[in-house]
Amino acid sequence: MLVLITYDVNTQTAQGRKRLRQVAKQCVNYGQRVQNSVFECVLDAAQLAIVKHKLEQIIEPECDSLRFYNLGKSYQSKVEHIGAKPAIDMQGVLMI
């Protein structure tokens, strides 16, 4: 299923900037960055639970926030992209 993970981390302190880097680093492990604080991730239920737990351990809920949007398995018809940074086929072949 496609899950959109978004976050807003307070970066007014050095600890906040560190949390921001840690959150981004975890999200990169699970998906593709599509905007600064937005990642598209193709995950199963177990992977979603793991990444959610990892991110919850990093943030400070009093000043940071996470959002998880579950777009499901037939997400292609739910996502429309206009503009720069062309969309990536999340199910396609990855060449490194």
Side-chain angles (χ1 to χ4, degrees), residues 39-57:
F39 283 79
E40 289 179 350
C41 307
V42 176
L43 307 169
D44 60 29
Q47 291 170 318
L48 177 57
I50 291 169
V51 71
K52 195 179 288 191
H53 177 73
K54 287 181 179 181
L55 295 175
E56 287 174 358
Q57 299 302 308

Side-chain angles (χ1 to χ4, degrees), residues 3-91:
V3 177
L4 199 64
I5 301 175
T6 68
Y7 54 89
D8 186 20
V9 177
N10 185 323
T11 58
Q12 293 178 342
T13 65
Q15 296 89 354
R17 291 185 290 276
K18 181 179 179 182
R19 289 194 311 274
L20 177 67
R21 289 188 300 273
Q22 290 175 331
V23 168
K25 196 178 220 181
Q26 281 301 317
C27 289
V28 165
N29 290 334
Y30 290 91
Q32 175 69 36
R33 183 188 300 262
V34 293
Q35 291 185 356
N36 286 339
S37 297
V38 180
F39 283 79
E40 289 179 350
C41 307
V42 176
L43 307 169
D44 60 29
Q47 291 170 318
L48 177 57
I50 291 169
V51 71
K52 195 179 288 191
H53 177 73
K54 287 181 179 181
L55 295 175
E56 287 174 358
Q57 299 302 308
I58 296 170
I59 68 158
E60 291 292 332
E62 302 82 32
C63 58
D64 305 333
S65 68
L66 293 169
R67 289 180 181 248
F68 298 86
Y69 298 91
N70 186 343
L71 299 179
K73 292 182 181 178
S74 50
Y75 60 87
Q76 290 88 348
S77 63
K78 298 176 185 173
V79 177
E80 181 178 352
H81 175 263
I82 299 170
K85 298 181 183 177
I88 295 172
D89 180 6
M90 300 295 286
Q91 301 292 347

